[in-house]
Amino acid sequence: MDEFAIDQVLIALDRDDPSDAMKAFDDLSDTTAAVRVVLDLAGLPTMRAGLEDLDGLPTLRLVESPLIGWNLVAKRAIDLALSASLLVVLAPLFGVIAAAVKLTRPGGPVLYRQERMGINGLVYTIWKFRTMVPDAEADTGPRWTEPQDARVTPLGVLLRRTNLDELPQLWNVLRGEMSLVGPRPERPELIAEFRRRLPGYMRRHTVKAGLTGLAQVNGWRGNTSLERRLDCDIRYIREWSLALDFKILALTLWRSFRDPNAY
């Protein structure tokens, strides 16, 4: 060590055989070199990984929501301000849509309620303008909408195409059950299947579900690839920032009338 004037040493240990760790440390104890350990984390789905002190014990954090501390406060403040403002500004539009739904389908309710799963696996109720015939899933059970779906009303096609059917979820954002931006919430019945098929699927529930999200502005919505959608959701959590949220909101407005998978 002294002969080569080495001032830093990186130790890469085999995750399956760490028995040489103590020997390596002993060999380096008589030097002034800085010692770092390279952890073998290949294959581990880390999110926001980092080191922290746990009562004097160094620990490696593998998975953690980015929304803690001031990040959480800032995101919630924006959700409150924007959702409250939009509910007031869009109130006349809500009235027009409600009247249109009632007039075109007098036999059904204006609003449709459905259970969804949000942060930490908690189930809550979302509200949407009704776009389907009453009892649309009585015969088929829970399933995604398909192109030219016979269950969707003519007005429902327009509302889905323009994403106007989702506007009542601003109330969920105001209540704190959702955020303006985040992974889109799914139904518990479908999640029970998805989490069996896709390892790491529940990682998307470490943040609040969103009215829009990175997957949606990239075209992965409706009956599209679950894998690509999950990749976008995990990427959003890893790279989260307020700037990213505002970018997704802007892209949502730009692409609201241009999404071929909105049906």
Side-chain angles (χ1 to χ4, degrees), residues 37-125:
V37 175
V38 180
L39 299 176
D40 180 11
L41 299 179
L44 292 181
T46 60
M47 291 197 314
R48 299 271 171 168
L51 288 172
E52 63 182 33
D53 184 277
L54 181 62
D55 196 21
L57 179 67
T59 60
L60 178 64
R61 183 180 65 250
L62 296 181
V63 177
E64 183 177 73
S65 170
L67 297 174
I68 56 176
W70 286 109
N71 286 344
L72 179 61
V73 172
K75 186 172 174 69
R76 179 62 183 146
I78 292 170
D79 283 343
L80 275 172
L82 290 182
S83 61
S85 301
L86 288 171
L87 283 169
V88 172
V89 171
L90 298 176
L93 178 60
F94 276 57
V96 170
I97 295 175
V101 172
K102 197 64 179 176
L103 289 173
T104 54
R105 285 284 174 170
V110 169
L111 293 175
Y112 175 68
R113 56 184 295 174
Q114 193 176 71
E115 285 191 339
R116 297 291 174 98
M117 185 178 290
I119 188 170
N120 297 326
L122 297 178
V123 176
Y124 65 98
T125 300

Side-chain angles (χ1 to χ4, degrees), residues 118-132:
I119 188 170
N120 297 326
L122 297 178
V123 176
Y124 65 98
T125 300
I126 66 164
W127 297 87
K128 303 173 69 172
F129 285 115
R130 183 170 59 84
T131 58
M132 292 188 176

